[in-house]
Amino acid sequence: MTSALPLCIIGAGSIGRRHIQMATESPAIQLTAVVEPHPETRAALAGQGLPMVASIDDVPTDTRACIVATPTPDHCPTSLAALDRGWAVLVEKPIADTLDNARAVARTAADKGLPLITGHHRRCHPFVQAAREALREIGPLVGLQGLWSLRKHDSYYDVPWRRLPGAGPLATNLSHEIDLLNVFAGLPVEVTALTSSAARGLEIEDTASLAFRFESGALGSFLISDAGASPWAFEAATAENPAIAPSGEDYIRITGTLGALAFPSLTRWGASGPGEVEWSRPLLRHDAPTFPRVDPLRVQIDRFAACLDSGADDVLCQPRDAIAALEMTLATALSGLTQRPVRRGEVPGHFKGVLT
Ligand SMILES: NC(=O)C1=CN([C@@H]2O[C@H](COP(=O)(O)OP(=O)(O)OC[C@H]3O[C@@H](n4cnc5c(N)ncnc54)[C@H](OP(=O)(O)O)[C@@H]3O)[C@@H](O)[C@H]2O)C=CC1
Ligand SMILES: O=C1CO[C@H](CO)[C@@H](O)[C@@H]1O
Protein backbone atom coordinates (compact mmCIF):
# COMPACT_ATOMS: atom_id res chain seq x y z
CA MET A 1 0.00 0.00 0.00
CA THR A 2 1.33 3.40 -0.93
CA SER A 3 -0.35 5.75 1.57
CA ALA A 4 -3.07 5.56 4.22
CA LEU A 5 -6.59 5.35 2.80
CA PRO A 6 -8.74 8.42 3.63
CA LEU A 7 -11.90 6.75 4.96
CA CYS A 8 -14.99 7.84 6.86
CA ILE A 9 -17.26 5.77 9.10
CA ILE A 10 -21.00 6.33 8.84
CA GLY A 11 -22.94 5.44 12.01
CA ALA A 12 -21.27 5.40 15.44
CA GLY A 13 -23.42 2.77 17.13
CA SER A 14 -22.30 -0.55 18.55
CA ILE A 15 -20.42 -1.90 15.51
CA GLY A 16 -19.51 1.58 14.21
CA ARG A 17 -17.45 2.18 17.35
CA ARG A 18 -15.50 -1.01 16.83
CA HIS A 19 -14.76 0.07 13.26
CA ILE A 20 -13.63 3.46 14.62
CA GLN A 21 -11.19 1.68 16.92
CA MET A 22 -9.82 -0.42 14.03
CA ALA A 23 -9.53 2.64 11.77
CA THR A 24 -7.63 4.64 14.37
CA GLU A 25 -5.29 1.73 15.13
CA SER A 26 -4.53 0.77 11.51
CA PRO A 27 -1.66 2.50 9.70
CA ALA A 28 -3.47 1.63 6.45
CA ILE A 29 -6.31 4.04 7.32
CA GLN A 30 -6.59 7.80 7.74
CA LEU A 31 -9.93 8.45 9.45
CA THR A 32 -11.32 11.61 7.81
CA ALA A 33 -14.73 11.74 9.53
CA VAL A 34 -17.29 9.85 11.57
CA VAL A 35 -20.86 10.61 10.50
CA GLU A 36 -23.33 10.41 13.38
CA PRO A 37 -26.73 12.16 13.42
CA HIS A 38 -27.29 11.80 17.18
CA PRO A 39 -26.06 15.12 18.78
CA GLU A 40 -25.17 13.66 22.18
CA THR A 41 -23.23 10.73 20.71
CA ARG A 42 -21.49 13.16 18.38
CA ALA A 43 -20.49 15.47 21.23
CA ALA A 44 -19.28 12.57 23.38
CA LEU A 45 -17.10 11.14 20.61
CA ALA A 46 -15.82 14.58 19.56
CA GLY A 47 -14.70 14.92 23.19
CA GLN A 48 -12.47 11.88 22.59
CA GLY A 49 -10.81 13.70 19.69
CA LEU A 50 -12.70 11.97 16.86
CA PRO A 51 -13.51 13.96 13.68
CA MET A 52 -17.30 13.95 14.13
CA VAL A 53 -19.73 15.37 11.55
CA ALA A 54 -23.55 15.33 11.45
CA SER A 55 -24.08 14.43 7.80
CA ILE A 56 -22.40 12.69 4.90
CA ASP A 57 -22.41 16.13 3.19
CA ASP A 58 -19.90 17.37 5.80
CA VAL A 59 -17.29 14.64 5.09
CA PRO A 60 -13.96 16.07 3.77
CA THR A 61 -13.75 15.87 -0.01
CA ASP A 62 -10.44 13.98 -0.08
CA THR A 63 -12.22 10.92 1.39
CA ARG A 64 -12.00 7.86 -0.89
CA ALA A 65 -13.84 5.16 1.02
CA CYS A 66 -16.37 4.56 3.78
CA ILE A 67 -17.71 1.98 6.18
CA VAL A 68 -21.52 1.99 6.37
CA ALA A 69 -22.44 0.96 9.94
CA THR A 70 -25.98 2.30 10.05
CA PRO A 71 -29.16 0.27 10.78
CA THR A 72 -29.80 -2.37 8.11
CA PRO A 73 -32.77 -0.56 6.43
CA ASP A 74 -30.42 2.39 5.82
CA HIS A 75 -27.63 0.36 4.15
CA CYS A 76 -28.99 0.85 0.62
CA PRO A 77 -29.59 4.63 0.61
CA THR A 78 -26.32 5.38 2.40
CA SER A 79 -24.26 3.01 0.23
CA LEU A 80 -25.75 4.58 -2.91
CA ALA A 81 -24.96 8.08 -1.59
CA ALA A 82 -21.38 6.99 -0.89
CA LEU A 83 -20.91 5.38 -4.32
CA ASP A 84 -22.33 8.54 -5.86
CA ARG A 85 -19.46 10.45 -4.24
CA GLY A 86 -16.98 8.02 -5.80
CA TRP A 87 -16.17 6.22 -2.54
CA ALA A 88 -15.36 2.54 -2.20
CA VAL A 89 -17.84 1.00 0.25
CA LEU A 90 -17.55 -1.55 3.04
CA VAL A 91 -21.16 -1.98 4.16
CA GLU A 92 -22.12 -3.90 7.29
CA LYS A 93 -24.06 -7.12 6.88
CA PRO A 94 -26.61 -7.87 5.61
CA ILE A 95 -25.79 -5.93 2.45
CA ALA A 96 -29.30 -4.44 2.38
CA ASP A 97 -32.82 -5.04 3.66
CA THR A 98 -34.21 -6.43 0.38
CA LEU A 99 -32.84 -8.22 -2.68
CA ASP A 100 -33.96 -5.34 -4.93
CA ASN A 101 -31.97 -2.87 -2.82
CA ALA A 102 -28.94 -5.17 -2.61
CA ARG A 103 -28.91 -5.62 -6.39
CA ALA A 104 -29.27 -1.86 -6.96
CA VAL A 105 -26.22 -1.16 -4.77
CA ALA A 106 -24.19 -3.94 -6.43
CA ARG A 107 -25.14 -2.68 -9.90
CA THR A 108 -24.16 0.88 -9.04
CA ALA A 109 -20.78 -0.21 -7.63
CA ALA A 110 -20.09 -2.32 -10.74
CA ASP A 111 -21.13 0.51 -13.11
CA LYS A 112 -18.79 2.91 -11.30
CA GLY A 113 -15.99 0.37 -10.99
CA LEU A 114 -15.86 0.85 -7.20
CA PRO A 115 -15.15 -1.87 -4.60
CA LEU A 116 -18.23 -2.96 -2.61
CA ILE A 117 -17.43 -5.26 0.30
CA THR A 118 -19.95 -6.57 2.84
CA GLY A 119 -18.92 -6.99 6.47
CA HIS A 120 -19.14 -10.77 6.76
CA HIS A 121 -15.93 -10.41 8.74
CA ARG A 122 -15.76 -14.02 9.98
CA ARG A 123 -14.07 -14.88 6.69
CA CYS A 124 -11.04 -13.00 8.01
CA HIS A 125 -10.29 -15.56 10.74
CA PRO A 126 -7.47 -17.97 9.77
CA PHE A 127 -9.48 -20.93 11.15
CA VAL A 128 -12.41 -20.17 8.84
CA GLN A 129 -10.16 -20.42 5.80
CA ALA A 130 -8.52 -23.54 7.29
CA ALA A 131 -11.96 -25.15 7.74
CA ARG A 132 -12.22 -25.48 3.96
CA GLU A 133 -9.07 -27.62 3.93
CA ALA A 134 -10.21 -29.66 6.95
CA LEU A 135 -13.53 -30.37 5.26
CA ARG A 136 -11.73 -32.05 2.38
CA GLU A 137 -10.38 -34.57 4.90
CA ILE A 138 -13.84 -35.82 5.94
CA GLY A 139 -15.02 -36.80 2.46
CA PRO A 140 -18.17 -35.64 0.67
CA LEU A 141 -20.43 -33.62 2.98
CA VAL A 142 -23.37 -35.55 4.40
CA GLY A 143 -24.81 -33.26 7.07
CA LEU A 144 -24.26 -30.31 9.34
CA GLN A 145 -25.81 -29.30 12.64
CA GLY A 146 -25.44 -25.88 14.27
CA LEU A 147 -26.67 -24.19 17.44
CA TRP A 148 -26.28 -20.40 17.86
CA SER A 149 -27.96 -19.31 21.06
CA LEU A 150 -26.96 -16.22 23.05
CA ARG A 151 -29.29 -14.28 25.32
CA LYS A 152 -28.97 -10.61 24.35
CA HIS A 153 -29.42 -8.15 27.24
CA ASP A 154 -32.99 -6.83 27.37
CA SER A 155 -31.89 -3.20 26.73
CA TYR A 156 -30.47 -4.34 23.34
CA TYR A 157 -34.08 -4.05 22.18
CA ASP A 158 -34.54 -0.50 23.50
CA VAL A 159 -33.16 0.66 20.10
CA PRO A 160 -36.34 0.91 17.92
CA TRP A 161 -34.97 -0.45 14.59
CA ARG A 162 -33.74 -3.62 16.29
CA ARG A 163 -37.37 -4.56 17.11
CA LEU A 164 -38.55 -4.32 13.49
CA PRO A 165 -38.19 -6.48 10.36
CA GLY A 166 -34.67 -6.00 9.05
CA ALA A 167 -33.29 -6.84 12.48
CA GLY A 168 -33.92 -9.93 14.66
CA PRO A 169 -31.58 -12.91 14.95
CA LEU A 170 -32.25 -14.03 11.36
CA ALA A 171 -31.13 -10.79 9.67
CA THR A 172 -28.62 -9.83 12.34
CA ASN A 173 -27.02 -13.16 13.27
CA LEU A 174 -28.11 -15.94 10.91
CA SER A 175 -26.84 -13.91 7.92
CA HIS A 176 -23.29 -14.54 9.23
CA GLU A 177 -24.00 -18.28 9.58
CA ILE A 178 -25.30 -18.49 6.03
CA ASP A 179 -22.21 -16.76 4.69
CA LEU A 180 -20.10 -19.27 6.65
CA LEU A 181 -22.07 -22.19 5.19
CA ASN A 182 -21.41 -20.72 1.76
CA VAL A 183 -17.67 -20.56 2.48
CA PHE A 184 -17.70 -24.18 3.73
CA ALA A 185 -20.15 -26.03 1.55
CA GLY A 186 -21.69 -23.69 -1.00
CA LEU A 187 -24.96 -21.95 -0.45
CA PRO A 188 -28.02 -23.94 0.64
CA VAL A 189 -30.56 -24.17 -2.18
CA GLU A 190 -33.62 -24.71 0.01
CA VAL A 191 -34.67 -23.90 3.56
CA THR A 192 -37.59 -24.84 5.76
CA ALA A 193 -38.05 -22.78 8.92
CA LEU A 194 -40.09 -22.67 12.07
CA THR A 195 -39.90 -19.25 13.73
CA SER A 196 -41.11 -18.16 17.14
CA SER A 197 -41.43 -14.88 19.04
CA ALA A 198 -42.74 -16.56 22.18
CA ALA A 199 -39.77 -15.74 24.41
CA ARG A 200 -39.58 -11.97 23.83
CA GLY A 201 -43.05 -11.23 22.39
CA LEU A 202 -41.71 -8.83 19.74
CA GLU A 203 -42.92 -8.49 16.12
CA ILE A 204 -39.67 -10.10 14.96
CA GLU A 205 -38.66 -13.68 15.78
CA ASP A 206 -36.41 -14.44 18.74
CA THR A 207 -35.87 -18.11 17.85
CA ALA A 208 -35.85 -20.16 14.66
CA SER A 209 -35.36 -23.81 13.85
CA LEU A 210 -34.10 -24.34 10.30
CA ALA A 211 -33.53 -27.21 7.89
CA PHE A 212 -31.30 -26.65 4.84
CA ARG A 213 -30.69 -28.60 1.64
CA PHE A 214 -27.41 -28.06 -0.24
CA GLU A 215 -26.97 -28.44 -3.99
CA SER A 216 -24.97 -31.65 -3.47
CA GLY A 217 -27.92 -33.20 -1.61
CA ALA A 218 -26.27 -32.76 1.80
CA LEU A 219 -28.59 -31.54 4.57
CA GLY A 220 -28.15 -29.17 7.49
CA SER A 221 -30.08 -28.01 10.53
CA PHE A 222 -29.66 -24.98 12.72
CA LEU A 223 -31.29 -23.66 15.89
CA ILE A 224 -30.79 -19.92 16.30
CA SER A 225 -32.02 -17.82 19.20
CA ASP A 226 -31.18 -14.55 20.91
CA ALA A 227 -33.45 -15.39 23.84
CA GLY A 228 -31.92 -18.69 25.00
CA ALA A 229 -28.81 -18.44 27.17
CA SER A 230 -26.08 -20.92 26.16
CA PRO A 231 -22.32 -21.23 25.63
CA TRP A 232 -22.91 -22.29 21.99
CA ALA A 233 -22.38 -19.56 19.39
CA PHE A 234 -19.61 -18.37 17.09
CA GLU A 235 -18.78 -15.34 19.25
CA ALA A 236 -18.69 -17.36 22.49
CA ALA A 237 -16.57 -20.04 20.84
CA THR A 238 -14.04 -17.61 19.42
CA ALA A 239 -14.03 -14.65 21.84
CA GLU A 240 -14.00 -12.41 18.77
CA ASN A 241 -16.48 -9.86 20.16
CA PRO A 242 -15.40 -8.10 23.38
CA ALA A 243 -19.09 -7.60 24.29
CA ILE A 244 -19.79 -11.36 24.38
CA ALA A 245 -18.50 -13.71 27.07
CA PRO A 246 -16.18 -16.42 25.74
CA SER A 247 -16.94 -20.13 26.28
CA GLY A 248 -14.53 -21.93 23.94
CA GLU A 249 -17.29 -24.42 23.03
CA ASP A 250 -17.78 -25.67 19.48
CA TYR A 251 -21.19 -24.86 18.03
CA ILE A 252 -21.29 -26.58 14.60
CA ARG A 253 -20.76 -30.29 13.86
CA ILE A 254 -20.22 -31.48 10.30
CA THR A 255 -20.25 -35.06 9.01
CA GLY A 256 -18.79 -36.50 5.81
CA THR A 257 -18.56 -40.04 4.49
CA LEU A 258 -15.01 -40.37 5.88
CA GLY A 259 -15.20 -38.49 9.16
CA ALA A 260 -16.48 -35.52 11.12
CA LEU A 261 -15.41 -32.00 12.05
CA ALA A 262 -16.31 -29.73 14.96
CA PHE A 263 -16.25 -25.98 14.33
CA PRO A 264 -14.58 -23.64 15.10
CA SER A 265 -11.96 -25.72 16.94
CA LEU A 266 -11.49 -27.91 13.80
CA THR A 267 -11.26 -30.99 16.00
CA ARG A 268 -11.58 -33.80 13.46
CA TRP A 269 -12.45 -37.50 13.54
CA GLY A 270 -11.33 -39.80 10.72
CA ALA A 271 -10.21 -43.29 9.74
CA SER A 272 -8.21 -45.09 12.41
CA GLY A 273 -6.65 -47.50 9.88
CA PRO A 274 -6.87 -48.74 6.30
CA GLY A 275 -10.15 -50.04 4.93
CA GLU A 276 -13.75 -48.94 4.98
CA VAL A 277 -14.85 -46.24 7.43
CA GLU A 278 -17.91 -47.83 9.04
CA TRP A 279 -19.64 -47.88 12.42
CA SER A 280 -17.94 -50.91 13.97
CA ARG A 281 -14.54 -49.24 13.76
CA PRO A 282 -13.49 -46.44 16.09
CA LEU A 283 -12.76 -43.04 14.59
CA LEU A 284 -9.40 -41.48 15.32
CA ARG A 285 -9.62 -38.04 16.95
CA HIS A 286 -7.25 -35.37 15.59
CA ASP A 287 -6.94 -32.63 18.19
CA ALA A 288 -7.67 -29.03 17.35
CA PRO A 289 -4.88 -27.21 15.51
CA THR A 290 -3.86 -23.75 16.77
CA PHE A 291 -4.16 -20.55 14.80
CA PRO A 292 -2.82 -17.05 15.26
CA ARG A 293 -5.40 -14.90 17.06
CA VAL A 294 -6.54 -11.93 14.98
CA ASP A 295 -9.21 -9.27 15.30
CA PRO A 296 -11.25 -10.02 12.17
CA LEU A 297 -12.48 -6.42 11.91
CA ARG A 298 -8.87 -5.25 11.79
CA VAL A 299 -7.96 -7.81 9.12
CA GLN A 300 -11.07 -6.80 7.19
CA ILE A 301 -10.33 -3.06 7.20
CA ASP A 302 -6.68 -3.67 6.24
CA ARG A 303 -7.68 -5.98 3.37
CA PHE A 304 -10.30 -3.41 2.26
CA ALA A 305 -7.61 -0.71 2.10
CA ALA A 306 -5.28 -3.06 0.22
CA CYS A 307 -7.90 -4.05 -2.33
CA LEU A 308 -8.36 -0.41 -3.35
CA ASP A 309 -4.78 -0.56 -4.60
CA SER A 310 -4.71 -4.10 -5.94
CA GLY A 311 -8.31 -4.19 -7.22
CA ALA A 312 -8.84 -7.74 -5.92
CA ASP A 313 -9.32 -9.78 -2.75
CA ASP A 314 -10.13 -13.48 -2.40
CA VAL A 315 -11.22 -13.46 1.27
CA LEU A 316 -13.56 -10.49 1.73
CA CYS A 317 -17.25 -10.84 0.91
CA GLN A 318 -17.90 -9.64 -2.64
CA PRO A 319 -21.38 -8.50 -3.80
CA ARG A 320 -22.38 -11.85 -5.32
CA ASP A 321 -21.83 -13.73 -2.06
CA ALA A 322 -23.39 -10.95 0.00
CA ILE A 323 -26.56 -11.03 -2.12
CA ALA A 324 -26.62 -14.84 -1.91
CA ALA A 325 -26.35 -14.70 1.91
CA LEU A 326 -29.15 -12.14 2.01
CA GLU A 327 -31.30 -14.26 -0.29
CA MET A 328 -31.11 -17.37 1.92
CA THR A 329 -31.51 -15.27 5.08
CA LEU A 330 -34.72 -13.79 3.68
CA ALA A 331 -35.73 -17.27 2.50
CA THR A 332 -35.69 -18.47 6.12
CA ALA A 333 -37.93 -15.58 7.16
CA LEU A 334 -40.29 -16.26 4.25
CA SER A 335 -40.41 -19.96 5.04
CA GLY A 336 -41.23 -19.19 8.68
CA LEU A 337 -44.08 -16.89 7.65
CA THR A 338 -45.55 -19.11 4.92
CA GLN A 339 -44.82 -22.43 6.66
CA ARG A 340 -43.46 -24.02 3.51
CA PRO A 341 -39.99 -24.73 2.08
CA VAL A 342 -38.45 -21.84 0.13
CA ARG A 343 -35.93 -22.45 -2.65
CA ARG A 344 -33.36 -20.08 -4.11
CA GLY A 345 -35.02 -17.83 -6.66
CA GLU A 346 -38.35 -17.76 -4.80
CA VAL A 347 -37.78 -14.74 -2.54
CA PRO A 348 -39.56 -11.67 -3.98
CA GLY A 349 -37.19 -8.74 -4.61
CA HIS A 350 -39.12 -6.43 -2.29
CA PHE A 351 -39.48 -8.93 0.60
CA LYS A 352 -38.00 -7.59 3.84
CA GLY A 353 -39.16 -10.17 6.35
CA VAL A 354 -42.88 -9.35 6.59
CA LEU A 355 -45.76 -10.39 4.36
CA THR A 356 -47.60 -7.33 2.99
N1 LIG B 1 -20.28 -7.37 11.72
C1 LIG B 1 -20.68 -7.32 12.98
O1 LIG B 1 -20.08 -7.93 13.85
C2 LIG B 1 -21.87 -6.53 13.36
C3 LIG B 1 -22.67 -5.96 12.40
N2 LIG B 1 -23.79 -5.26 12.74
C4 LIG B 1 -24.57 -4.64 11.67
O2 LIG B 1 -24.26 -3.23 11.71
C5 LIG B 1 -25.42 -2.44 11.50
C6 LIG B 1 -25.61 -1.50 12.67
O3 LIG B 1 -25.90 -2.24 13.84
P1 LIG B 1 -25.65 -1.63 15.29
O4 LIG B 1 -24.27 -1.07 15.38
O5 LIG B 1 -26.08 -2.66 16.25
O6 LIG B 1 -26.69 -0.41 15.27
P2 LIG B 1 -26.82 0.80 16.28
O7 LIG B 1 -28.26 1.16 16.33
O8 LIG B 1 -26.08 0.50 17.54
O9 LIG B 1 -26.00 1.96 15.55
C7 LIG B 1 -26.39 2.57 14.35
C8 LIG B 1 -25.87 4.01 14.37
O10 LIG B 1 -26.09 4.61 13.11
C9 LIG B 1 -26.65 5.90 13.31
N3 LIG B 1 -27.42 6.25 12.12
C10 LIG B 1 -28.70 5.93 11.80
N4 LIG B 1 -29.00 6.40 10.57
C11 LIG B 1 -27.88 7.01 10.11
C12 LIG B 1 -27.55 7.70 8.92
N5 LIG B 1 -28.43 7.81 7.92
N6 LIG B 1 -26.32 8.23 8.79
C13 LIG B 1 -25.41 8.12 9.79
N7 LIG B 1 -25.66 7.47 10.95
C14 LIG B 1 -26.88 6.93 11.10
C15 LIG B 1 -27.49 5.72 14.55
O11 LIG B 1 -27.78 6.99 15.13
P3 LIG B 1 -29.14 7.17 15.97
O12 LIG B 1 -28.95 6.35 17.21
O13 LIG B 1 -29.22 8.63 16.22
O14 LIG B 1 -30.25 6.65 15.10
C16 LIG B 1 -26.57 4.87 15.41
O15 LIG B 1 -25.62 5.66 16.08
C17 LIG B 1 -26.56 -3.45 11.29
O16 LIG B 1 -26.77 -3.58 9.91
C18 LIG B 1 -26.07 -4.76 11.87
O17 LIG B 1 -26.59 -5.87 11.19
C19 LIG B 1 -24.10 -5.04 14.05
C20 LIG B 1 -23.35 -5.58 15.06
C21 LIG B 1 -22.19 -6.40 14.79
O1 LIG C 1 -23.00 -9.08 13.26
C1 LIG C 1 -23.21 -9.34 14.41
C2 LIG C 1 -24.43 -8.92 15.02
O2 LIG C 1 -24.44 -8.80 16.38
C3 LIG C 1 -23.66 -9.72 17.13
C4 LIG C 1 -23.79 -9.34 18.56
O3 LIG C 1 -23.59 -7.96 18.74
C5 LIG C 1 -22.24 -9.73 16.59
O4 LIG C 1 -21.39 -10.52 17.35
C6 LIG C 1 -22.30 -10.19 15.19
O5 LIG C 1 -21.04 -10.30 14.60
Side-chain angles (χ1 to χ4, degrees), residues 23-303:
T24 50
E25 287 174 5
S26 171
I29 303 295
Q30 178 216 337
L31 184 63
T32 58
V34 176
V35 183
E36 171 53 51
H38 200 269
E40 283 168 25
T41 308
R42 212 164 53 242
L45 293 177
Q48 295 171 22
L50 290 166
M52 303 303 296
V53 297
S55 150
I56 193 170
D57 294 328
D58 303 324
V59 171
T61 51
D62 63 346
T63 299
R64 287 183 55 215
C66 71
I67 296 181
V68 176
T70 58
T72 302
D74 178 73
H75 287 185
C76 173
T78 293
S79 297
L80 288 176
L83 291 166
D84 202 41
R85 286 163 171 75
W87 300 344
V89 171
L90 195 172
V91 59
E92 262 307 338
K93 40 51 61 178
I95 180 172
D97 54 349
T98 67
L99 285 172
D100 283 347
N101 284 341
R103 288 172 184 140
V105 174
R107 230 178 3 253
T108 304
D111 288 350
K112 292 179 177 290
L114 291 168
L116 171 65
I117 300 298
T118 299
H120 287 292
H121 63 260
R122 291 182 183 177
R123 292 164 171 248
C124 296
H125 285 289
F127 59 79
V128 168
Q129 297 302 323
R132 296 169 122 152
E133 293 297 314
L135 280 164
R136 285 192 201 110
E137 303 288 327
I138 66 167
L141 181 70
V142 174
L144 174 155
Q145 185 189 49
L147 168 52
W148 189 102
S149 194
L150 293 176
R151 184 163 174 90
K152 291 175 183 159
H153 46 290
D154 290 339
S155 61
Y156 177 93
Y157 280 110
D158 289 348
V159 179
W161 78 269
R162 293 180 178 161
R163 298 193 294 269
L164 300 172
L170 293 182
T172 303
N173 305 103
L174 183 76
S175 52
H176 276 310
E177 304 302 334
I178 293 188
D179 185 59
L180 260 191
L181 297 188
N182 191 12
V183 170
F184 291 169
L187 207 69
V189 291
E190 180 183 331
V191 60
T192 305
L194 295 176
T195 52
S196 171
S197 51
R200 289 193 186 272
L202 299 174
E203 180 186 356
I204 48 167
E205 77 290 335
D206 51 60
T207 304
S209 177
L210 315 166
F212 293 110
R213 187 188 305 281
F214 293 89
E215 195 154 19
S216 63
L219 299 179
S221 67
F222 226 101
L223 181 73
I224 185 153
S225 175
D226 69 6
S230 95
W232 300 299
F234 184 94
E235 294 87 338
T238 61
E240 72 155 18
N241 183 335
I244 295 175
S247 70
E249 297 283 333
D250 284 321
Y251 80 110
I252 296 179
R253 288 176 175 76
I254 308 171
T255 62
T257 56
L258 301 177
L261 188 71
F263 181 83
S265 71
L266 306 192
T267 304
R268 179 166 64 81
W269 289 262
S272 51
E276 185 182 358
V277 174
E278 46 86 7
W279 65 356
S280 74
R281 307 179 70 197
L283 291 171
L284 181 66
R285 178 189 162 117
H286 300 264
D287 285 337
T290 52
F291 294 95
R293 205 175 146 66
V294 302
D295 187 321
L297 293 180
R298 173 62 189 275
V299 177
Q300 182 176 250
I301 202 171
D302 285 347
R303 293 191 81 102

Side-chain angles (χ1 to χ4, degrees), residues 308-322:
L308 257 72
D309 282 338
S310 67
D313 187 282
D314 58 359
V315 167
L316 300 179
C317 185
Q318 302 292 340
R320 193 176 127 185
D321 281 356

